[in-house]
Amino acid sequence: MQVTGKSMLRLQIGPVQDFIAAARTSRDLWSGSYLLSRLMAAALHYLEHREGVEIIFPCTGELSICRWWADERADAAWVEGAEAPCLSNKLVACVPTGQAEELAQATRAAVRGTWQAIAQRGRHMLPPGIQQDSARMARYELQVQQHLAVDFAHLPMDLPVAEMQGLAQGVTQETPLTRALQQLAAGTESARYAAVYYLVDHCMNA
């Protein structure tokens, strides 16, 4: 993987636990999983068409859900297996450093736009009595606005080791991050990918 001029971007869609907690049946669980997979498909579809972007995780090209949702025309041919909620809620990509923030924000906007479109279709499926109840619809809109979280972090792949160690100062126990940083500081350049990966994860969680 090219290092110079590239950044690692990590994006996460949630909340996963809220979907699970709200489920009462296996159909509910499937629906929550599919919603998250659909939103991730929107993120992947946006990013994979940007110049200089390499999707690291998840795999996209052969997944039916990605191929199906790449074309949302009403007459689009059905792709067998597209109903499987098989995408993780996490994305990792290598992007041009100068565009990392812009790409992250635009990907978040693509996810939120898809979420709003799904909510709009759901709104029209509600019983007329609920649609005409302004108080209930206000609660619906509030839930739509507040429920989804799209978080991201990105760091240059060629970040100096000293700066990486500074970002990881709060990590006091031995972890995959500290081990990768130790190897990198000792001159094992092959540990750079792991060090940046775990550091981006640490920064986002922090």
Side-chain angles (χ1 to χ4, degrees), residues 78-196:
W78 171 249
V79 177
E80 189 66 31
E83 73 281 4
C86 55
L87 287 173
S88 167
N89 69 317
K90 299 175 183 178
L91 175 154
V92 181
C94 187
V95 303
T97 295
Q99 302 173 40
E101 181 67 20
E102 178 185 352
L103 285 169
Q105 294 284 359
T107 305
R108 172 189 275 172
V111 172
R112 287 179 171 169
T114 301
W115 172 252
Q116 288 291 340
I118 293 171
Q120 179 70 22
R121 289 193 289 268
R123 186 181 297 109
H124 292 311
M125 295 172 67
L126 294 171
I130 294 179
Q131 291 190 48
Q132 295 164 12
D133 188 324
S134 58
R136 287 187 175 185
M137 292 311 298
R139 289 198 297 273
Y140 181 90
E141 297 295 344
L142 185 63
Q143 288 179 335
V144 170
Q145 293 297 327
Q146 294 185 347
H147 184 76
L148 191 68
V150 186
D151 302 311
F152 64 80
H154 53 81
L155 286 173
M157 292 290 297
D158 54 0
L159 200 66
V161 178
E163 290 188 35
M164 296 171 73
Q165 291 172 330
L167 290 171
Q169 267 189 334
V171 183
T172 56
Q173 298 180 335
E174 184 178 0
T175 65
L177 170 58
T178 59
R179 288 194 294 270
L181 286 176
Q182 288 168 1
Q183 293 173 4
L184 188 59
T188 308
E189 192 61 26
S190 59
R192 177 171 291 277
Y193 175 89
V196 176

Side-chain angles (χ1 to χ4, degrees), residues 30-66:
W30 178 89
S31 298
S33 294
Y34 197 88
L35 270 173
L36 289 170
S37 289
R38 171 67 189 98
L39 295 172
M40 180 53 68
L44 291 166
H45 181 63
Y46 176 82
L47 269 182
E48 66 186 0
H49 289 84
R50 308 277 79 80
E51 185 177 354
V53 173
E54 177 187 355
I55 304 294
I56 300 170
F57 176 84
C59 169
T60 59
E62 298 305 315
L63 293 179
S64 296
I65 189 172
C66 290

